[in-house]
Every structure is written in C-alpha cells, then in structure tokens.
Amino acid sequence: MPTVDLAKTSKRELNGALHALGEKDHGLSWRVDNPAGQHALACGLDAPVNIEIVGHVGYYCAGMNKQAKVVVEGNAGVGVAENMMSGLVHVKGDASQSAGATAHGGLLVIDGNASARCGISMKGVDIVVKGSIGPMSAFMAQAGRLVVLGDAGDALGDSIYETRIYVRGAVKSLGADCIEKEMREEHRAELRELLDAAGIGEDVAVDEFRRYGSGRQLYNFHVDNAAAY
Amino acid sequence: MCGIVGLFLKDSSLEPQLGSLLAGMLEVMTDRGPDSAGFAVYGAAEPGRVKLTVRGPDLDTIGDALGHDVKVTWRDTHAVLSVPEAQEETVRGWLARERPDVVVTGAGRRIELYKEVGLPAQVTSRFGLRAMAGTHGVGHTRMATESAVTTDGAHPFSTGEDQCLVHNGSLSNHHSLRRMLEPQGIHIATENDSEVAAGYLTWKMKGGATLAQALEAGLDDLDGFFTFVVGTEDGFAVLRDPISCKPAVMAETDRYVAFGSEYRALVGLPGIEAAKVFEPEPAVVYAWVRD
C-alpha cells in the first residue's frame, strides 16, 4: 500500500498524486501519515480508491469527493466532505462546523459529534452522525438524508426546502418551517438502510428515531407577509 | 480573520517551556494573521513588587530616571519595570507626566505583555518569547480588516491587573459599552472593540465576579462575533459567541489545556496525539483556575 508521510511530503504533492488516480486504480489503497491538521487534504478526488488518513485533519478534507472512500482516523476541521458528489467519507473522531456542506451525493459518516451547521445547504448527500450535532444544522437543506444518533442543537432544519432528518435523541429546537413528521414504513426502511450503510447494527432500532422535515410553507411568497417589505 | 492561541499549564515541569510552546503555536497561526502579533505570559511574581510592561521610544534611559528601586528589563521596543508595590502610583504618575509617549501595555504581579507590527515569527523573536517561562499565556496574530495595522491595534488587551484578552471577531455594540464603562472608571485606551470587551470583563471582576461569571454575563451584554481567550493571574478561560462564528479547537491532557483557532496550532504540543481534542461549544464558558 503506498504510504505518504506528510511530515516529509507536501500537501500539494499528495493531492497532485491523488488527482492522477483514475478508474484504472480501482480498489487501490493509500495511507497518509502525519496530517497534522493541514487543510484541504484529499480534496477533489475522482477515483474509486481508498484513502486512509491517520491523524487529525484541518479544513475541507475530502471536499468535492467523487467515488473515493476517505477515512479520517481522527477529528476533522471545518467543512469536511463539503460539496461531495459521491463516495464515502468516514470521520472516526469529531467533525467541526459545516460538515457535508452543500454536498450533492455520497455518504458522510461521523463516529463522534459534529458541531454547528452540519449538513448546511445539503443537496443530496446522506450524513450519519453517531454522536450529536450542533446548532443550525441542515440549514436550508435541499435534498438528502441526515441521521443523528445523539441530540440536535438549536434551530434544526431552519429554512429547510427538503431533506429527511432522523434524530434519535433530543432536538433543542426546530428552525423556521422545520416540523416533526410521521414515521411511516418507508421511512423505517430507509433509515435502516442508512444505519446499515454506516455500519450501525440492529442494537440501534429505527423506532427510537423521530423524523423531521419541511413544512413547505416557505416555498412561495405569502401575501400576508407583504407588509414586511 | 485573526489567529488566537492560549496555553495553560497544569504540570509545573512544563513551565520553563511555556514560551517556546506558545511561540510555536503563534507562528503556525501566521496564515491567519500576518500583520501583527502579541502575547502575554504569566511568569514568576516577585514578593512586594508589581510589573509594568511599557512600550515606547527611547526606553534605554528610563531606568536612570526612575531610580534604583525600579528594575528594568529591556526587550526590543518594550521594557518591563519591576516596581515596589508602594511606588506603583508614583511611577505611573511620572510616566504620564514625563513620558506621555510611553504606553503601559500590561500591569500586575505576574503578567508581561508584548505586541508589535510584523510577522508573528519576527515578533516572537524580537521579544525572546521562546526563552520565557511561566504558568500560562495567550497570543494573537492579527489580519486587520477594519482598522489600520498599528501596534495599538494589536492584541492582547489588558485593562486590569494581571488580566488580558485576545479576541477573534468583531463586536457591534462596543460604542455603547464604552460609554457605559468609562464613567465606571474603566479606562479604555484605544478605539479597538476588543479592548472594550477586556474592559467589560475587568468591570465585572471589579464588582466581584469570577472570570467565569464575568464571561457568562458577557453572553447577555456583548453583541457580535467573538471567540475570546482570557487570562488572569491564576485563571484561563475561553468563550465563543452563541452562533460560534469564529473557529476554536481545544486540547486537554493531564499536563495542560491548550487553545488554537485551528488544530494546526496545537500539533507541536507534547503528547498531543493522546490529548482530548474538542471544539468548545457556542455560548459555553470554559474556565480553569490554578490551585
């Protein structure tokens, strides 16, 4: 397995080498040591490869990811997997703010907690957080699913368009136009699939979750609000 | 954008290394603030004496003028005056009268406070931070966005004895707070919003609040974006605004508590691999006090 030691190799060299990978490298595994909190590691990948980063990473790790599986054996800074298109990003520690921001596809799994604005403006990504998420999460979320095994902070799903949110713990407060919705059979099945995809066993039961989503009251201008302008 | 760092030692065997550890943290934060830098270090107290850190031109003659009771340590554009407690007022009066061009940047039993324009690595080396010992310290690298790059605008700010604050963010109600604080005897020397936050905490602590209580009250009274790291003679605290606008990472081990705007700043600390690394929550006061 190729191993890159970031104590000796520059981030640009690493990212350049990762960008050179493609379909021909299917299943290839790389290991990255000593990330030391550097920003923008393993960004912009577009190859079906496995990248394991051993240590804490800085901002925007695995941003814009396509196809690749990126595992962070540590914490991730702001904007991990932001704008991911496909693939899997797995953070084994905590994630900072704006995890999975604007991401269109793929799966982001966070074993620890994610702080404020997790899944902000998410556009189709699936996010599974095994811990809790901070305030203003799923702000203006447009598509995708967000699963939280712990609690959610203030103003969950504020100004949400669409996106289904499943929370097992307490929700401190819901944001504008985010409402609790009925858990139907299709939702239980979907949630089970997401938990399975994140490697979460049957000891976490789908019945322990509640579902939240869009009240769809902000889609159109409401004439009663005319006086506000 | 700015970078802030702080280090509070629990293990006294690390005290000789405080300056070198803090310098390393500060220099990594150059990307966040290349315009100017500053730091405060809490070193040893001398019984019966206070330290005044002063900054200004022509400091080399200041010792002669102040007499034998005042011990002067020169460090580049700053000097630390070790003054017998009983003479503090006299010395301050003399400075105000005879040397109005000299600014007192920090005062107290233990604090020394330095700030200057330039790259953080230049600033730490000019003042010899790496050789300084102490129990805790804070630092700041500044990227000026709203006011000029001047030494006056650099952090930390100290508005009370052995107190200092570094700030990443901007306050929107600093004018009204200033108007409230000045009649209460809180002197705010610059136009900087961060100094007003420091003054606010000084005012609260003068009224009997602990550092943690002062910060708690600040959540109601300070409007704007902030991540603060604050030092007192025996305390160290962190507070972020309720929407956590500005970044913050902390690490705690049996030997220290460390703060950085980014995790990168903490990478050089001993035993960081095994430290509990966490992001301080918004609107939660984190405070430590020395035994």
Side-chain angles (χ1 to χ4, degrees):
Chain A
M1 183 195 317
T3 298
V4 177
D5 183 354
L6 284 175
K8 295 177 186 145
T9 306
S10 78
K11 169 173 67 184
R12 278 183 187 276
E13 284 176 79
L14 168 70
N15 282 344
L18 294 176
H19 293 163
L21 301 176
E23 297 294 340
K24 65 182 189 317
D25 301 300
H26 192 281
L28 200 69
S29 292
W30 281 43
R31 178 188 158 109
V32 178
D33 287 333
N34 293 312
Q38 288 196 68
H39 302 321
L41 294 175
C43 278
L45 301 193
D46 187 3
V49 294
N50 306 305
I51 312 297
E52 183 189 15
I53 306 178
V54 185
H56 303 313
V57 297
Y59 294 3
Y60 315 126
C61 181
M64 302 175 282
N65 185 56
K66 262 175 150 175
Q67 304 192 71
K69 176 182 177 186
V70 179
V71 178
V72 176
E73 304 266 0
N75 297 336
V78 174
V80 65
E82 63 148 11
N83 218 65
M84 172 159 60
M85 303 304 286
S86 64
L88 169 67
V89 175
H90 183 181
V91 178
K92 296 209 169 169
D94 295 332
S96 182
Q97 301 180 13
S98 304
T102 75
H104 291 248
L107 174 65
L108 169 61
V109 179
I110 296 161
D111 288 353
N113 301 315
S115 65
R117 296 176 276 279
C118 176
I120 182 172
S121 196
M122 54 194 279
K123 295 177 169 68
V125 68
D126 292 324
I127 303 176
V128 179
V129 181
K130 296 184 189 172
S132 296
I133 57 173
M136 296 298 283
S137 287
F139 177 60
M140 296 187 82
Q142 290 146 57
R145 285 90 49 101
L146 171 62
V147 178
V148 183
L149 272 58
D151 302 329
D154 269 321
L156 175 68
D158 193 274
S159 305
I160 187 172
Y161 293 80
E162 288 302 323
T163 288
R164 290 186 290 284
I165 305 173
Y166 300 95
V167 183
R168 184 164 70 151
V171 173
K172 198 166 177 198
S173 68
L174 292 173
D177 207 29
C178 185
I179 58 172
E180 184 170 355
K181 294 185 166 186
E182 181 195 1
M183 272 287 254
R184 297 193 297 269
E185 202 43 53
E186 73 225 55
H187 303 116
R188 288 190 190 88
E190 158 175 280
L191 177 55
R192 187 67 259 164
E193 271 178 35
L194 287 164
L195 292 171
D196 289 345
I200 296 165
E202 296 285 340
D203 53 320
V204 174
V206 293
D207 288 332
E208 297 169 35
F209 289 78
R210 295 165 85 156
R211 180 168 78 99
Y212 306 88
S214 177
R216 299 180 180 128
Q217 297 302 301
L218 296 178
Y219 273 33
N220 305 102
F221 181 70
H222 199 287
V223 73
D224 287 353
N225 295 329
Y229 295 90
Chain B
M1 184 145 94
C2 293
I4 52 179
V5 298
L7 183 60
F8 177 83
L9 301 179
K10 301 176 184 174
D11 178 351
S12 58
S13 72
L14 282 175
E15 288 174 16
Q17 293 177 56
L18 180 86
S20 61
L21 294 171
L22 195 65
M25 296 165 77
L26 206 52
E27 287 162 23
V28 172
M29 288 293 94
T30 301
D31 299 357
R32 300 188 65 89
D35 295 334
S36 54
F39 57 88
V41 166
Y42 292 83
E46 267 190 89
R49 287 181 165 266
V50 294
K51 291 194 237 186
L52 303 180
T53 312
V54 298
R55 168 171 61 80
D58 307 322
L59 292 175
D60 40 340
T61 56
I62 207 165
D64 301 336
L66 286 168
H68 293 305
D69 290 342
V70 176
K71 292 187 270 184
V72 186
T73 310
W74 287 274
R75 290 183 189 270
D76 200 69
T77 52
H78 291 43
V80 178
L81 313 179
S82 171
V83 181
E85 265 170 23
Q87 291 180 31
E88 182 183 350
E89 282 317 303
T90 316
V91 169
R92 281 180 180 271
W94 183 86
L95 285 169
R97 206 171 50 246
E98 304 293 334
R99 292 298 307 271
D101 54 340
V102 167
V103 180
V104 179
T105 59
R109 287 176 3 98
R110 301 186 52 216
I111 193 172
E112 293 182 19
L113 197 158
Y114 305 87
K115 53 173 94 174
E116 206 40 275
V117 173
L119 285 171
Q122 292 166 355
V123 174
T124 58
S125 118
R126 283 169 71 177
F127 296 123
L129 171 59
R130 283 184 183 274
M132 292 184 194
T135 54
H136 53 301
V138 304
H140 182 274
T141 64
R142 179 164 185 244
M143 185 182 289
T145 53
E146 293 183 38
S147 51
V149 178
T150 60
T151 309
D152 273 341
H155 299 218
F157 286 102
S158 179
T159 49
E161 282 200 357
D162 278 314
Q163 296 169 8
C164 72
L165 169 143
V166 289
H167 173 205
N168 181 12
S170 61
L171 298 179
S172 41
N173 66 338
H174 60 107
H175 286 299
S176 58
L177 281 174
R178 183 188 296 266
R179 282 195 296 275
M180 181 276 284
L181 291 169
E182 281 177 340
Q184 311 274 344
I186 303 296
H187 175 64
I188 294 162
T190 72
E191 291 301 306
N192 193 289
D193 58 332
S194 307
E195 190 182 1
V196 176
Y200 172 85
L201 297 177
T202 298
W203 174 63
K204 280 286 171 188
M205 287 189 274
K206 256 190 179 171
T210 61
L211 173 57
Q213 288 164 342
L215 285 165
E216 197 71 51
L219 283 169
D220 288 330
D221 293 336
L222 302 174
D223 186 19
F225 302 136
F226 51 83
T227 296
F228 295 129
V229 182
V230 189
T232 62
E233 186 181 354
D234 61 354
F236 178 82
V238 169
L239 176 66
R240 304 174 79 192
D241 66 64
I243 63 164
S244 52
C245 190
K246 296 295 177 183
V249 179
M250 300 199 69
E252 185 166 15
T253 72
D254 292 343
R255 307 183 75 194
Y256 59 80
V257 176
F259 173 96
S261 290
E262 299 173 20
Y263 173 73
R264 286 187 305 151
L266 312 180
V267 166
L269 295 174
I272 191 69
E273 306 77 17
K276 177 190 166 204
V277 176
F278 63 101
E279 181 168 324
E281 291 196 28
V284 174
V285 175
Y286 293 81
W288 288 264
V289 180
R290 287 177 61 77
D291 300 330

